[in-house]
Amino acid sequence: MKQVSDIKTVAGIGGGIIGGSWIVLFAMRGKDVTLYSRTEESIVKHKKTIEDSLEFLVSTGAIPDMESALKHITYTTSLQEAVQNADFIQESSPERIDLKQSMLSEIEKYAPADAIIATSASTLPLADITEKAVHPERCIGGHPYNPPHLIPLVEITKTEKTDPAVVELAKEFYASLGKEPIVLNKACPGYICNRLQLAVFREMVDLVEREVCSVEDADKALTFGPAIRWAIFGHNMVMQVANKDGVKGMIEMLAGGYNLCADIASWDTIPADYADKAQAAVDEMMKNYPDEIGHTNAEISAYRDKMLVDILKLHHKF
């Protein structure tokens, strides 16, 4: 079985928002990576996005220069060329089961027998993706949070056929890139983080629908309350340091007081008119943001990424 030090060559399959970000991460961490995309036109577009991301990282001081990363990246429209010498393959094609099954079949034709094949799938069960795989034992899910080159989390999924040694090696490899890998012990729809953030979102929607607060104040409550602490520690550790008797004491205190859990939203369908209501509120928020944050999706995303780099520097990720 390979060691993590043996993984030197990576293939990135697909160069969209997720795929291109993976390429940036692999390259800036010194891995030789080949990006496969179907057409020359798409490669030109993905190359520009990747170079823009690297230029941004230089501007924030996250990396010293672009050239050190760019020298590790090659581009191809040949899937065989992309994977034939790869030690690790990160597949990031669109979220369609038929497409991912077909892509996996093609990858297996040309990839080395000991290459690890990871899919960036965010909702599709790995068992379905690998249903027709010749070597499901070397297939894992490697679900990132967007953008992968900035947000450290990666959720590793597996099936009953996945070799445990492959899972451990993938975990070590992602960690060597500065990622924070977590492993799902069994299949779970939405994985871990999508479920956590959806639970918070549902309660935010419920508070707005009950006219407890506005959309804007729900966002402020999260941003300047729990989210600041969550950027440092997970909720269990937040509770640990909030009570002299630790997390046990906090849970006992909550259980002995007013049972907020009985009042938490439990509906399973988002209210039909909430999308329009939320969009109107968010449009107004964007219009009223200070210029330094921005007023468009692109401007606000750029501000977000600058803030992410500052947080990641505190975590010694850059």
Side-chain angles (χ1 to χ4, degrees):
M1 186 71 184
K2 284 183 176 179
Q3 304 296 311
V4 69
S5 58
D6 296 323
I7 303 178
K8 296 181 172 64
T9 303
V10 181
I13 309 303
I17 292 174
I18 298 298
S21 184
W22 273 119
I23 299 299
V24 172
L25 176 69
F26 294 136
M28 73 180 188
R29 299 302 185 191
K31 301 301 178 183
D32 291 327
V33 56
T34 300
L35 168 62
Y36 162 77
S37 193
R38 292 187 304 108
T39 67
E40 291 291 347
E41 290 79 10
S42 62
I43 282 179
V44 170
K45 180 178 68 174
H46 299 327
K47 186 176 182 181
K48 173 68 164 56
T49 302
I50 288 167
E51 291 177 352
D52 286 348
S53 295
L54 289 169
E55 186 174 359
F56 162 77
L57 290 170
V58 172
S59 73
T60 60
I63 60 174
D65 62 83
M66 289 176 58
E67 289 69 27
S68 296
L70 287 174
K71 70 182 182 181
H72 289 290
I73 306 173
T74 57
Y75 301 86
T76 183
T77 56
S78 166
L79 182 64
Q80 179 177 356
E81 181 180 339
V83 305
Q84 63 186 0
N85 296 313
D87 301 307
F88 192 97
I89 299 161
Q90 187 76 40
E91 176 273 317
S92 304
S93 62
E95 195 84 353
R96 283 174 29 210
I97 191 66
D98 59 332
L99 183 58
K100 287 193 177 292
Q101 285 181 344
S102 173
M103 188 63 71
L104 178 55
S105 176
E106 288 298 302
I107 290 170
E108 286 194 308
K109 284 183 185 178
Y110 305 116
D114 59 350
I116 296 176
I117 305 172
T119 176
S120 300
S122 59
T123 57
L124 299 174
L126 182 63
D128 291 351
I129 295 172
T130 61
E131 181 182 6
K132 302 175 183 177
V134 178
H135 294 289
E137 70 279 359
R138 58 181 174 145
C139 298
I140 63 161
H143 173 232
Y145 253 50
N146 188 37
H149 68 281
L150 291 181
I151 298 185
L153 182 78
V154 58
E155 297 178 305
I156 298 177
T157 58
K158 58 186 178 179
T159 71
E160 293 180 353
K161 297 179 180 178
T162 308
D163 184 344
V166 168
V167 174
E168 286 305 308
L169 181 55
K171 184 178 178 181
E172 290 180 35
F173 174 63
Y174 282 132
S176 76
L177 302 174
K179 303 293 280 182
E180 292 290 338
I182 58 177
V183 179
L184 276 71
N185 294 322
K186 60 182 180 180
C188 180
Y191 311 150
I192 299 170
C193 281
N194 281 335
R195 296 178 71 94
L196 293 175
Q197 68 180 8
L198 187 57
V200 172
F201 177 68
R202 178 171 64 177
E203 188 60 24
M204 292 177 74
V205 172
D206 197 65
L207 289 168
V208 173
E209 288 291 275
R210 289 164 53 193
E211 300 183 349
V212 173
C213 63
S214 66
V215 171
E216 181 176 9
D217 282 352
D219 265 14
K220 283 183 179 179
L222 187 61
T223 300
F224 297 108
I228 284 182
R229 296 186 301 193
W230 289 343
I232 304 168
F233 293 120
H235 200 61
N236 287 296
M237 190 56 66
V238 166
M239 293 174 71
Q240 169 68 22
V241 300
N243 188 287
K244 65 181 180 64
D245 295 318
V247 66
K248 183 175 184 291
M250 179 62 79
I251 291 171
E252 289 173 347
M253 182 188 75
L254 292 173
Y258 179 71
N259 185 15
L260 278 177
C261 290
D263 192 47
I264 293 291
S266 59
W267 43 262
D268 57 12
T269 302
I270 295 175
D273 63 344
Y274 188 75
D276 290 335
K277 183 186 299 185
Q279 189 63 65
V282 169
D283 289 344
E284 186 68 16
M285 288 165 58
M286 292 170 69
K287 184 176 73 174
N288 294 326
Y289 270 154
D291 291 344
E292 68 180 60
I293 294 178
H295 308 285
T296 66
N297 281 5
E299 291 169 346
I300 293 169
S301 293
Y303 178 82
R304 175 205 65 190
D305 289 351
K306 290 176 184 176
M307 294 286 279
L308 281 174
V309 168
D310 286 342
I311 292 170
L312 290 166
K313 286 178 179 178
L314 293 173
H315 280 287
H316 306 293
K317 293 295 184 182
F318 285 117

